[in-house]
Amino acid sequence: METGPANYEQETINPEHPEGLKIKVIIPHLVYLRAYKHDPVKYENLRGAKEVLENPKRIFWGIREHNDGGWCYTGIPKKLYIKQSNAVDFPDGKVFAVYINPGLQVFDWTVEYADENDTMCPKDWKERYKSLIWKNIS
């Protein structure tokens, strides 16, 4: 039996049971292949997405207005790629966001402006998401 290209699995905190066992989320092959072909800088920043999923600082629920569910994990990776082969220290005033659909598949990762009151949250998060469901307090 022939197998196709592999999806990438990343272990992370279970958004439905943050204090329980970790789960695996999927970065689908087609998602990272699209980034590789069309946006090399975004592809390189998958490293930041991996770091955030390994050590999230906040998890939000209800990320889309017209679709139930989905999560946004945020954190601060060590580096941010600004060109394909040029990484800088992650900038102040920003937060890295990883978006996961209800089927536990990553569909986007991006840098966002940080909220003034909580720098681990994206700006205007209270208007954008239904709720903050978990906060790393360590």
Side-chain angles (χ1 to χ4, degrees):
M1 182 166 124
E2 188 173 320
T3 60
N7 293 332
Y8 179 79
E9 293 183 351
Q10 176 61 52
E11 192 173 82
T12 192
I13 291 172
N14 183 341
E16 294 178 338
H17 304 285
E19 306 307 323
L21 297 175
K22 292 193 173 191
I23 60 165
K24 288 187 180 177
V25 296
I26 304 295
I27 303 174
H29 176 258
L30 289 176
V31 170
Y32 68 80
L33 180 63
R34 186 179 315 119
Y36 179 79
K37 286 183 174 181
H38 302 290
D39 193 344
V41 174
K42 186 172 191 80
Y43 179 78
E44 293 296 337
N45 280 312
L46 270 169
R47 296 170 191 186
K50 180 180 182 348
E51 281 185 62
V52 168
L53 290 171
E54 288 173 340
N55 187 25
K57 300 301 180 191
R58 307 284 184 272
I59 301 175
F60 302 89
W61 176 82
I63 58 175
R64 293 183 172 182
E65 186 175 346
H66 301 293
N67 291 343
D68 274 343
W71 297 275
C72 173
Y73 285 58
T74 62
I76 305 291
K78 291 178 182 72
K79 299 287 183 181
L80 175 68
Y81 280 82
I82 56 172
K83 293 184 179 175
Q84 189 171 2
S85 58
N86 186 6
V88 297
D89 290 339
F90 197 82
D92 292 336
K94 306 280 176 106
V95 65
F96 199 97
V98 181
Y99 291 94
I100 301 171
N101 70 23
L104 300 177
Q105 294 187 350
V106 172
F107 66 87
D108 198 12
W109 55 99
T110 189
V111 176
E112 302 204 16
Y113 287 101
D115 189 80
E116 292 176 3
N117 297 317
D118 184 343
T119 59
M120 292 298 148
C121 296
K123 186 176 181 178
D124 300 326
W125 68 270
K126 290 179 183 176
E127 288 78 41
R128 297 172 56 195
Y129 313 128
K130 289 184 180 171
S131 64
L132 170 63
I133 60 168
W134 182 83
K135 189 176 189 177
N136 183 333
I137 56 172
S138 60

